[in-house]
Amino acid sequence: MEANKPGGILFVLSAPSGTGKTTVANLVLEVVDGLRKTVSHTTRKMRDGEESGVDYHFVDEARFRSMIDAGEFVEWAQIFGNYYGTSSREIELSLGRGQDLLLVIDVQGAASVRAMDWAQSCSIFLLPPGMDELERRLVGRGLDSPENIRIRLEAARGELSHQGEFDHKVINDQLSRAVEEVENIIQAERHRRRGQ
Ligand code: ADP
Ligand code: 5GP
């Protein structure tokens, strides 16, 4: 898409793993009209309760690599051993139609999207209240081994140092308050850019 073409706004929500971005994003999608989450491609295994085409497009590594080679991703990253990527086609079609999108991606991916200098984008960094609480959430989520949790906490320290590069910061302490804050940012951006 041309940088200045009028269209939808690309909202990017990012945070270290375990902060609560999936939880916050799902609640934001319930309360904000006209906002759609993009469905990423990933090579990681489907978890219980996930649906193909809804949570992710689940593909094998060969397919993912062929998509990289064909230039089909706006950004992609290897995160904790699996590949994740956002397809350009999905984003361009939606934004071109004036559809606002919510991209829920890791901190590396958010940096790639920012580097593209999309005119109509807005980045939000979600912060954990502290490292102890982040560890509690990772343990409480019950998806990762102690070794994986250690790796995620280590990565989080580096990722937190990038928070200043985002347009907005929101602390995910009390969930309802964090959701409301993200909602307010989205509505304010819409108003500012489109008088909506
Ligand atoms: P992420 O998508 O950033 O990796 P998740 O949305 O999976 O994080 O959340 C990680 C864990 O933290 C989940 O078990 C979730 O229920 C919990 N969680 C999310 N937000 C909060 C919050 N504000 N307070 C307490 N626990 C939370
Ligand atoms: P999970 O495996 O827990 O669903 O996601 C792991 C991490 O990958 C999360 O931080 C999530 O936001 C991120 N992620 C999901 N989709 C994408 C994507 O398309 N690109 C990038 N860069 N990260 C993604």
Side-chain angles (χ1 to χ4, degrees):
M1 192 171 100
E2 295 155 40
N4 292 316
K5 189 171 161 187
I9 305 171
L10 183 64
F11 292 98
V12 180
L13 182 68
S14 193
S17 178
T19 302
K21 59 189 172 303
T22 309
T23 309
V24 168
N26 287 338
L27 292 169
V28 165
L29 289 162
E30 281 177 18
V31 293
V32 177
D33 287 339
L35 183 68
R36 202 163 60 78
K37 183 174 172 286
T38 63
V39 181
S40 298
H41 285 71
T42 185
T43 60
R44 91 145 155 72
K45 288 203 179 67
M46 203 189 296
R47 293 176 185 146
D48 282 351
E50 285 185 330
E51 224 179 295
S52 176
V54 175
D55 297 285
Y56 286 102
H57 300 291
F58 294 93
V59 294
D60 62 20
E61 200 168 317
R63 168 81 185 121
F64 197 97
R65 290 197 158 280
S66 76
M67 289 181 74
I68 296 175
D69 293 343
E72 290 185 42
F73 292 119
V74 180
E75 63 75 35
W76 62 272
Q78 195 177 14
I79 305 163
F80 310 123
N82 294 303
Y83 289 96
Y84 296 82
T86 311
S87 113
S88 335
R89 190 163 182 276
E90 176 170 357
I91 289 206
E92 284 168 9
L93 283 176
S94 296
L95 294 181
R97 282 198 304 260
Q99 167 74 57
D100 291 344
L101 291 177
L102 182 63
L103 201 55
V104 186
I105 56 177
D106 88 306
V107 177
Q108 307 170 60
S112 311
V113 172
R114 265 198 321 274
M116 298 174 70
D117 245 349
W118 233 302
Q120 297 271 72
S121 75
C122 167
S123 60
I124 305 166
F125 193 95
L126 197 65
L127 288 151
M131 291 305 285
D132 289 353
E133 175 60 15
L134 182 61
E135 185 169 3
R136 267 193 292 280
R137 287 183 191 175
L138 284 165
V139 172
R141 186 166 67 171
L143 289 176
D144 302 291
S145 65
E147 172 61 4
N148 272 335
I149 289 177
R150 194 191 60 72
I151 292 168
R152 278 163 205 257
L153 288 171
E154 191 57 42
R157 289 195 179 84
E159 290 167 348
L160 286 168
S161 69
H162 291 280
Q163 56 183 279
E165 296 157 21
F166 285 71
D167 298 319
H168 302 273
K169 284 187 262 180
V170 171
I171 301 174
N172 183 21
D173 42 14
Q174 199 197 322
L175 185 58
S176 58
R177 202 201 47 75
V179 170
E180 201 180 314
E181 221 175 298
V182 173
E183 182 190 359
N184 289 342
I185 290 168
I186 292 172
Q187 302 299 17
E189 286 292 329
R190 282 175 163 177
H191 194 264
R192 190 169 73 77
R193 291 167 198 244
R194 303 201 280 246
Q196 197 178 12

